[in-house]
Amino acid sequence: MDEEDDGADSSVDEADSRADSSAQPDEETDESADDAPMPGVPDPESEESDVPEDVQKYARFTKMDGAQYDRVNEFLRDRTYVTAREWAIARLCSDFRTETGVEMTKIGENLPELVPFMTDTYSPQAVNQARSSFEEKVRKSGATFLYGAMCDFFTAEELDDVMYESTEVAKFLLEVEGVDLSVEDELEAEERISSVMREVREASQELREQEEE
């Protein structure tokens, strides 16, 4: 009787073992099915690979993470003539310039990845429009400033104050972009700018005196 029981137990154990082994492929199949991409759902890894490597590594505006466009735009409009859109795209056009020109398409398609406060993509035409607008404003501002310096509207001390304020704003924007300016570089740049403006003022004064004679 005991031998029959032992034989029955052995048969049950073998049956359980075969059942377990037959169940394992199903579990592996389920796991592989979980890993497979769902139909109609984009694969995150493939989406990441669509972003160019130089765009992924671009870290110019990391200090602006979490910033809102309106706040950035308000700050710029209080201190300059350019908008946040023009500022960002002007910098990108400088950084993504090749021997054949500016990579307008790459900038526009990856604008939200490149600049934290820009939430929409741009067409190449829109990028070029912002770039042209920035250039036009810089040229007009430069002509206005230079005329103010040459027409004797400002005294030498007032002109130095204007240059100091302008330099501080420009340095702040560069620092926000991630440019590391040493104290020595800042002082050297300020001295060179002041020296040039003094020469401009002196030359314009001599020119006016010659015309009066």
Side-chain angles (χ1 to χ4, degrees):
M1 186 68 177
D2 292 339
E3 292 178 358
E4 291 179 358
D5 291 341
D6 291 342
D9 291 341
S10 176
S11 299
V12 171
D13 292 340
E14 290 178 1
D16 291 341
S17 177
R18 286 196 297 271
D20 291 340
S21 61
S22 63
Q24 288 178 357
D26 293 337
E27 293 177 359
E28 293 177 357
T29 303
D30 291 341
E31 291 178 359
S32 61
D34 291 339
D35 293 337
M38 294 291 291
V41 178
D43 186 0
E45 294 183 0
S46 64
E47 284 188 349
E48 291 181 2
S49 63
D50 291 340
V51 179
E53 184 177 356
D54 54 350
V55 172
Q56 295 181 28
K57 294 181 178 180
Y58 191 77
R60 182 70 77 179
F61 291 95
T62 53
K63 292 183 179 181
M64 302 296 289
D65 285 346
Q68 298 295 320
Y69 179 89
D70 291 342
R71 295 290 301 276
V72 178
N73 197 53
E74 181 181 358
F75 175 86
L76 286 169
R77 295 305 293 266
D78 286 344
R79 295 163 177 82
T80 73
Y81 279 118
V82 299
T83 64
R85 174 181 72 109
E86 293 162 349
W87 169 47
I89 289 181
R91 166 49 69 182
L92 294 174
C93 287
S94 176
D95 290 341
F96 287 89
R97 182 187 292 119
T98 66
E99 295 180 356
T100 57
V102 177
E103 298 177 287
M104 302 285 186
T105 301
K106 178 184 289 187
I107 292 172
E109 291 179 348
N110 299 282
L111 194 54
E113 285 78 20
L114 293 166
V115 184
F117 56 82
M118 300 295 291
T119 57
D120 296 326
T121 58
Y122 274 35
S123 66
Q125 293 78 11
V127 172
N128 188 53
Q129 182 183 17
R131 175 178 175 270
S132 299
S133 179
F134 177 85
E135 181 179 355
E136 181 180 1
K137 289 180 179 180
V138 170
R139 290 182 180 276
K140 288 183 177 180
S141 298
T144 304
F145 170 75
L146 194 57
Y147 172 75
M150 294 179 66
C151 73
D152 206 26
F153 179 83
F154 294 106
T155 64
E157 291 75 16
E158 290 172 339
L159 191 59
D160 284 342
D161 290 340
V162 172
M163 286 304 307
Y164 176 78
E165 293 173 2
S166 301
T167 303
E168 287 300 303
V169 173
K171 286 193 304 183
F172 177 79
L173 294 179
L174 289 173
E175 290 171 355
V176 169
E177 294 172 358
V179 177
D180 187 15
L181 296 174
S182 66
V183 176
E184 292 78 9
D185 291 339
E186 290 183 15
L187 294 175
E188 182 182 357
E190 290 176 3
E191 178 56 33
R192 291 176 62 183
I193 293 172
S194 297
S195 176
V196 169
M197 294 314 303
R198 283 194 295 269
E199 292 178 2
V200 168
R201 190 174 185 280
E202 292 172 0
S204 61
Q205 185 175 359
E206 292 177 1
L207 181 61
R208 289 194 305 273
E209 290 175 353
Q210 291 177 1
E211 291 179 350
E212 291 175 358
E213 294 176 357

